[in-house]
């Protein structure tokens, strides 16, 4: 099988238990591939720049925190590209588990550099601990029961992503206005993109969904970048 075969469907073997239909034509697959390749290239450059600038302008602790964020960002980009560009096969449905798990990891690692700025807030530290616990649970769920709790996972993604509103007052006082704006913009883009993720009948919905993911990730990256330079 090649990635460009028209209207590919998932295997129904035991290796693909719980797998969703992979039903995209040549143009859709090319569009999604372009989105992933562009996102991965920009992500690698942006991640390198962030690490270097953090090393220049901040200390070892900040470097460690930013490295956690960069690891989550690159894991999401690499696993998403690998899964979505891989031909339909039992391996693809194994990759699907890791691709969906990486979303939990990205959310938790994205929260980390922001909440570290609120280290004097016990509520913030508790929230960060809770986000990581939910992320670990979500990853376990995806790896152990692939395809069985997809709706629950979407709910967990959104709940984790917007749980930071509980820290609104502390965040407004601590984060730069530009960073806060990009954090909110990223959350809105991710949330709006879920509509296209669920809109299976829409042509190019997968490429559109991944486009929203990249835009949301770019907004959050910009916010992290601003926080690092302002610290």
């Amino acid at each position: 099988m090649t990635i460009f075969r028209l209207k590919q469907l998932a295997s129904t073997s035991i290796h693909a238990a719980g797998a969703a239909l992979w039903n995209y034509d040549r143009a859709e697959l090319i569009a999604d591939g372009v989105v992933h390749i562009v996102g991965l290239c920009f992500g690698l450059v942006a991640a390198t720049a962030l690490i270097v600038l953090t090393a220049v302008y901040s200390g070892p602790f900040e470097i460690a925190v930013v490295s956690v964020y960069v690891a989550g960002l690159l894991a999401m980009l690499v696993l998403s590209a690998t899964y979505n560009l891989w031909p339909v096969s039992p391996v693809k449905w194994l990759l699907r588990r890791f691709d969906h798990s990486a979303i939990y990891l990205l959310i938790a690692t994205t929260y980390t550099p922001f909440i570290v700025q609120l280290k004097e807030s016990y509520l913030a530290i508790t929230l960060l601990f809770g986000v990581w616990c939910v992320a670990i649970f979500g990853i376990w769920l995806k790896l152990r029961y692939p395809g069985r709790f997809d709706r629950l996972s979407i709910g967990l993604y959104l709940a984790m992503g917007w749980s930071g509103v509980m820290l609104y007052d502390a965040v407004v006082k601590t984060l730069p206005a530009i960073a806060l704006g990009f954090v909110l913009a990223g959350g809105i883009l991710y949330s709006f993109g879920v509509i296209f993720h669920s809109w299976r009948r829409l042509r190019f919905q997968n490429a559109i969904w991944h486009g929203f993911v990249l835009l949301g990730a770019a907004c959050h990256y910009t916010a992290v970048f601003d926080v690092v330079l302002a610290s």
Side-chain angles (χ1 to χ4, degrees):
M1 292 185 180
T2 67
I3 189 172
F4 299 121
R5 172 173 289 186
L6 299 181
K7 298 301 182 182
Q8 297 181 27
L9 298 176
S11 167
T12 55
S13 69
I14 58 173
H15 299 290
L21 292 178
W22 188 258
N23 192 17
Y24 304 107
D25 62 31
R26 180 187 179 91
E28 290 176 293
L29 291 169
I30 292 174
D32 194 43
V34 169
V35 171
H36 276 94
I37 292 172
V38 169
L40 186 56
C41 290
F42 275 98
L44 289 170
V45 173
T48 301
L50 183 59
I51 291 292
V52 171
L53 287 173
T54 304
V56 171
Y57 292 103
S58 302
F61 178 74
E62 288 76 16
I63 295 174
V65 171
V66 168
S67 296
V68 169
Y69 163 69
V70 166
L73 176 63
L74 293 182
M76 183 275 291
L77 293 173
V78 170
L79 288 171
S80 181
T82 304
Y83 162 60
N84 284 278
L85 298 179
W86 199 275
V88 173
S89 65
V91 174
K92 189 177 188 70
W93 307 118
L94 176 61
L95 291 171
R96 183 176 187 266
R97 303 184 188 191
F98 292 98
D99 171 49
H100 290 192
S101 297
I103 300 174
Y104 287 110
L105 182 63
L106 175 64
I107 295 172
T109 56
T110 301
Y111 261 103
T112 302
F114 297 117
I115 292 186
V116 164
Q117 303 297 316
L118 310 174
K119 51 183 174 292
E120 297 180 359
S121 170
Y122 291 109
L123 177 59
I125 300 302
T126 301
L127 176 63
L128 182 61
F129 177 77
V131 166
W132 273 100
C133 286
V134 174
I136 292 170
F137 170 74
I139 292 171
W140 173 82
L141 200 65
K142 283 295 181 183
L143 296 178
R144 180 67 179 83
Y145 301 102
R148 291 181 57 182
F149 299 100
D150 285 351
R151 291 185 179 181
L152 172 62
S153 294
I154 292 175
L156 288 177
Y157 295 149
L158 292 173
M160 289 173 64
W162 286 103
S163 62
V165 297
M166 293 187 293
L167 304 174
Y168 179 79
D169 290 337
V171 167
V172 169
K173 294 177 181 178
T174 305
L175 294 185
I178 294 178
L180 180 59
F182 276 108
V183 168
L184 293 175
I188 292 171
L189 286 167
Y190 278 129
S191 301
F192 190 71
V194 171
I195 297 174
F196 296 95
H197 173 69
S198 304
W199 195 349
R200 298 294 182 180
R201 294 185 179 182
L202 177 67
R203 195 162 183 244
F204 295 105
Q205 61 85 210
N206 208 39
I208 295 171
W209 154 240
H210 289 130
F212 273 96
V213 170
L214 290 183
L215 290 173
C219 285
H220 285 166
Y221 170 87
T222 304
V224 173
F225 194 93
D226 187 62
V227 167
V228 169
L229 292 181
S231 61

